[in-house]
Amino acid sequence: MPIPFIQTRALEYTYTAEDGQAISALRGIDLTVGRGEFVALIGPNGSGKSTLARHFNALLLPTAGEVWVDGLLTSDPRHVQAVRQRVGMVFQNPDNQIVAGTVEEDVAFGPENLGVPAAEIRRRVDEALEVVGMTAYRHHPPHMLSGGQKQRVAIAGALATRPDCIVFDEPTSMLDAEGRRQVLQTVQRLNAERGLTVILITQNMDEAALARRVLVMDGGRIVRDGPPEEVLEAPEVEGLGLGRPFAAEVARRLRERGIPLPPGLLTVEALAAALRCTFR
Ligand code: ADP
Ligand code: MG
């Protein structure tokens, strides 16, 4: 069991709508995410994924219950800056995250706000651009880049504050196939090579299958928590209408045609290996 990094206890959150109506978005979340984990968070629209994610860097504070990040209680005002430094966020729309006229100024924005000295900012910007493969674009205006490149600049911006964890809230949903590939590869590398704790919110089951742990939300609760092989084909998860990973769907159709295949085939590689055994 890794060292706990994010912990929530009996977390509840209630929005007040414009007409004064209370909307209960989180209804008792007890969750521990360990340092260095790669967790996918899935669930239908409105199930509370973004609301939960915003508690992980104190953008929202609990209506009831507690959230700790690296042992720091987020609702203690003295901890807000330390919590925000530890947990970065990357959002859905790459255009909304651009704040400056060149890529390098954009990446420098976070550490500048934290009061990091100029020489150290330059080092961090260099490193962050290198990590996401965007060094060649450092003097480019961000709005000229492709969606996938913009998201990688947003990731570099998050990295430049030296977080332990990045929460990605549907980072690929506005990207084309190539942009998705670039962003996911970057996310996977940050986790595998740099030990970054990753929480990936996604509507795409192929992306969820890349994580080592999948959390499923429904109606403000976590209704499933386990490895993708167990969670993504569970009948009650299929009932939520989130779809299946491409390979799992192909495997299902092949089984219907009488080809015996084991469950838990979530990637094209796993499916190909199983077919090779079947037709040996
Ligand atoms: P998800 O990210 O899973 O789609 P959200 O966390 O955005 O879900 O929303 C959870 C619930 O909270 C939904 O019922 C949504 O309508 C409501 N909600 C989200 N943001 C607000 C807000 N700013 N004001 C009022 N209700 C909100
Ligand atoms: Mg959302």
Side-chain angles (χ1 to χ4, degrees):
M1 183 66 195
I3 304 161
F5 182 69
I6 293 172
Q7 285 183 291
T8 76
R9 197 189 59 86
L11 167 60
E12 293 179 26
Y13 189 80
T14 304
Y15 290 101
T16 307
E18 276 165 25
D19 60 3
Q21 204 198 338
I23 298 167
S24 178
L26 300 178
R27 301 166 181 257
I29 305 274
D30 291 282
L31 174 67
T32 301
V33 174
R35 197 175 266 281
E37 275 199 279
F38 181 168
V39 179
L41 178 55
I42 64 174
N45 270 330
S47 56
K49 303 180 298 295
S50 295
T51 304
L52 180 58
R54 284 172 157 81
H55 280 81
F56 296 157
N57 78 338
L59 279 176
L60 291 177
L61 298 175
T63 308
E66 285 96 30
V67 177
W68 291 267
V69 171
D70 202 14
L72 303 167
L73 188 66
T74 61
S75 49
D76 184 333
R78 290 170 302 178
H79 294 159
V80 171
Q81 176 127 352
V83 167
R84 299 238 168 106
Q85 196 274 315
R86 283 166 173 74
V87 181
M89 299 274 286
V90 173
F91 297 101
Q92 184 170 43
N93 189 335
D95 293 310
N96 293 349
Q97 299 176 81
I98 294 172
V99 292
T102 70
V103 164
E104 66 176 7
E105 285 164 13
D106 203 83
V107 176
F109 185 77
E112 271 165 7
N113 271 354
L114 292 173
V116 175
E120 170 66 13
I121 292 177
R122 273 195 296 281
R123 259 197 303 280
R124 290 189 186 190
V125 170
D126 289 349
E127 190 196 354
L129 286 175
E130 197 63 40
V131 168
V132 302
M134 287 296 289
T135 302
Y137 295 86
R138 63 185 309 149
H139 302 299
H140 287 230
H143 66 269
M144 302 290 282
L145 303 174
S146 72
Q149 290 172 329
K150 283 180 200 166
Q151 279 300 54
R152 285 189 285 147
V153 171
I155 295 170
L159 286 173
T161 63
R162 294 280 161 89
D164 300 292
C165 172
I166 297 183
V167 179
F168 297 88
D169 194 347
E170 303 194 25
T172 63
S173 63
M174 299 181 75
L175 305 183
D176 61 14
E178 170 59 16
R180 272 176 194 257
R181 198 192 58 73
Q182 292 174 6
V183 167
L184 284 171
Q185 199 176 49
T186 306
V187 171
Q188 284 181 288
R189 274 208 2 256
L190 289 171
N191 175 255
E193 295 170 17
R194 302 176 76 90
L196 188 82
T197 308
V198 168
I199 297 173
L200 175 65
I201 300 176
T202 181
Q203 304 269 7
N204 181 308
M205 296 305 109
D206 286 307
E207 295 182 7
L210 299 173
R212 266 159 295 173
R213 176 180 177 196
V214 180
L215 303 172
V216 186
M217 287 192 78
D218 189 27
R221 294 189 175 85
I222 293 175
V223 295
R224 269 311 276 245
D225 177 358
E229 296 75 18
E230 280 171 27
V231 170
L232 294 180
E233 290 188 306
E236 76 269 26
V237 175
E238 302 224 309
L240 295 174
L242 302 169
R244 296 186 181 85
F246 172 73
E249 176 61 20
V250 173
R252 191 185 66 81
R253 294 191 198 180
L254 291 172
R255 278 186 214 106
E256 278 177 4
R257 286 163 177 74
I259 297 168
L261 288 169
L265 301 172
L266 302 185
T267 64
V268 172
E269 290 74 22
L271 175 62
L275 285 170
R276 232 173 268 130
C277 288
T278 304
F279 291 107
R280 171 153 292 153

